[in-house]
Amino acid sequence: MKNMLAAFVSHVLRRITQKSARRVLVASRNYSNDATFEIKKCDLYLLEEGPPVTTVLTREEGLKYYRMMLTVRRMELKADQLYKQKFIRGFCHLCDGQEACCVGLEAGIKPSDHVITSYRSHGICYTRGISVRSILAELTGRRGGCAKGKGGSMHMYTKNFYGGNGIVGAQGPLAEAFNMAALWKLPCVFICENNLYGMGTSNERAAASTDYYKRGNFIPGLKVDGMDILCVREATKFAGDYCRSGKGPIVMELQTYRYHGHSMSDPGVSYRTREEIQEMRNKRDPITLLQDRMVNSKLTTVEELKEIGAEVRKEIDDAAQFATTDPEPRLEELGHHIYSSDPSFEVRGANPWIKFKSIS
């Protein structure tokens, strides 16, 4: 028995020593602090100059962006799994493939800026500060969700973020119509996430002009490589500075790509080929593009990124466990939070014998 115990202790000590050695090895690597990268030039409309064609990425920024994009990717894949297991019901629009848009936009704006989105908004929910736990719990309709389990996939909210909208294009009028924004020179950035397809058709088959960055007519526009987080970041900074300088609104078209179908009822392969999707994954994936840049410029190593991947996977699994076990909202809470600061009042429901009360 003593020999077995001694062998076990020896084994544990050896593993601890090996782990410590690996940490020392990682700490001693000579990482670059930053690197300069070329980015694709944006197409311009009614603008004399645009965003820069080179940018600096620090090691800290790169690791942060990588972790955020990987978290959004894994979160969406987990949402797909939960939907197929029938934990998530109703509409659910996934944004895997478009991670450079949400993470790049957040990297280019300020926390105090206000964001209004369309319904494919899980990624922006996360980058705006909502936890994976709260997002997945909202998708499964649980009390721990960011909208108390009553909003679902298309209606999530947090400070300075005004959730998804179920009506296509509804976020435009909410953010201020083009005409009013131009008349009053409002500091609005109108963004079109052009993932090339609608529900069942490509944009070429649905639009006579696919230059969406020109659709503002009298409002300047940018066409941006939406698969490159650095390009999105620099274009967003440019657009924000343009608006804040008092010049009025601007339109940004982010050319991106979604891997899933339009929604969960759309297999996504009847109007495009599986080969096209795979080619985009192989050649234009936003996470892989950032990873290759960072590794090749010695900002990180493959081993370090694998460690981040393992941490992200655990975070997603823990969040999914919470989202499938947290209680659902109580029936009497159905009418709560209709208004943010009004006194309590009765809410008329479909059944005249059941009375609900709105509590802010």
Side-chain angles (χ1 to χ4, degrees):
M1 188 69 179
K2 288 183 179 178
N3 290 338
M4 290 177 63
L5 180 60
F8 174 74
V9 171
S10 175
H11 172 73
V12 171
L13 290 174
R14 188 165 60 252
R15 291 296 300 275
I16 292 173
T17 302
Q18 289 172 348
K19 287 184 177 179
S20 299
R22 282 201 298 269
R23 290 196 189 99
V24 171
L25 180 63
V26 170
S28 66
R29 290 185 194 278
N30 292 320
Y31 291 117
S32 300
N33 291 323
D34 57 56
T36 301
F37 298 102
E38 292 184 358
I39 53 178
K40 185 178 178 181
K41 183 178 180 181
C42 296
D43 292 342
L44 308 180
Y45 175 66
L46 299 181
L47 290 167
E48 293 182 359
E49 61 179 358
V53 293
T54 62
T55 186
V56 174
L57 177 69
T58 67
R59 168 174 154 78
E60 182 181 1
E61 289 171 340
L63 292 175
K64 177 183 176 181
Y65 300 159
Y66 180 82
R67 181 182 292 271
M68 292 180 76
M69 286 203 291
L70 191 60
T71 300
V72 173
R73 172 71 56 84
R74 294 263 175 84
M75 179 178 71
E76 293 296 68
L77 295 179
K78 180 60 70 172
D80 176 61
Q81 179 184 341
L82 293 174
Y83 197 98
K84 289 170 180 173
Q85 293 172 338
K86 299 189 176 179
F87 284 109
I88 299 174
R89 304 295 184 102
F91 292 105
C92 185
H93 303 83
L94 305 179
C95 69
D96 50 316
Q98 302 182 197
E99 294 86 359
C101 294
C102 56
V103 178
L105 287 169
E106 187 64 32
I109 63 176
K110 301 176 181 179
S112 57
D113 289 333
H114 299 262
V115 177
I116 303 174
T117 73
S118 61
Y119 45 76
R120 198 179 306 280
S121 62
H122 304 163
I124 297 182
C125 292
Y126 174 72
T127 58
R128 284 268 85 186
I130 304 177
S131 68
V132 176
R133 191 175 159 110
S134 291
I135 293 171
L136 290 183
E138 189 58 41
L139 293 178
T140 57
R142 308 301 172 121
R143 294 173 68 182
C146 57
K148 312 294 184 185
K150 295 183 288 184
S153 176
M154 294 192 288
H155 302 95
M156 299 186 185
Y157 309 95
T158 190
K159 185 177 180 181
N160 298 335
F161 172 68
Y162 309 96
N165 288 279
I167 306 302
V168 176
Q171 72 277 16
L174 286 175
E176 288 296 346
F178 280 8
N179 186 55
M180 292 174 64
L183 278 174
W184 297 345
K185 293 191 179 299
L186 300 179
C188 294
V189 180
F190 294 97
I191 298 170
C192 169
E193 284 184 295
N194 179 12
N195 58 29
L196 308 183
Y197 293 96
M199 175 85 171
T201 190
S202 67
N203 57 2
E204 288 93 352
R205 294 195 294 266
S209 172
T210 58
D211 288 333
Y212 299 108
Y213 70 109
K214 298 179 181 179
R215 289 288 189 92
N217 295 321
F218 36 79
I219 299 177
L222 298 167
K223 182 189 284 187
V224 184
D225 181 359
M227 302 300 276
D228 180 353
I229 184 173
L230 299 182
C231 194
V232 176
R233 183 186 71 175
E234 294 308 309
T236 304
K237 287 179 180 178
F238 174 87
D241 291 343
Y242 180 93
C243 291
R244 292 188 181 96
S245 68
K247 296 177 182 177
I250 193 169
V251 176
M252 279 208 316
E253 176 187 344
L254 308 181
Q255 287 209 314
T256 184
Y257 197 85
R258 57 170 167 78
Y259 293 155
H260 267 86
H262 172 78
S263 66
M264 300 307 293
S265 62
D266 171 24
V269 291
S270 60
Y271 47 85
R272 58 182 181 175
T273 64
R274 296 182 188 275
E275 290 75 20
E276 177 187 302
I277 301 171
Q278 193 57 46
E279 185 176 13
M280 290 296 290
R281 287 181 181 274
N282 293 338
K283 297 181 179 180
R284 297 289 296 145
D285 185 84
I287 299 175
T288 304
L289 288 175
L290 178 62
Q291 173 182 309
D292 291 346
R293 274 176 165 165
M294 292 179 66
V295 171
N296 293 338
S297 59
K298 297 185 179 180
L299 293 175
T300 187
T301 60
V302 173
E303 291 76 19
E304 185 177 33
L305 297 182
K306 284 183 178 178
E307 289 181 6
I308 292 175
E311 293 168 5
V312 168
R313 182 176 284 107
K314 185 179 186 308
E315 179 187 2
I316 301 298
D317 289 343
D318 290 347
Q321 175 66 20
F322 173 76
T324 54
T325 56
D326 191 50
E328 295 181 351
R330 295 192 298 268
L331 181 62
E332 57 268 26
E333 297 175 1
L334 189 62
H336 289 191
H337 310 111
I338 294 177
Y339 296 101
S340 64
S341 58
D342 280 29
S344 301
F345 62 94
E346 282 195 350
V347 179
R348 185 178 64 189
N351 189 324
W353 292 278
I354 299 177
K355 298 294 185 182
F356 298 106
K357 180 165 284 192
S358 176
I359 300 175
S360 300

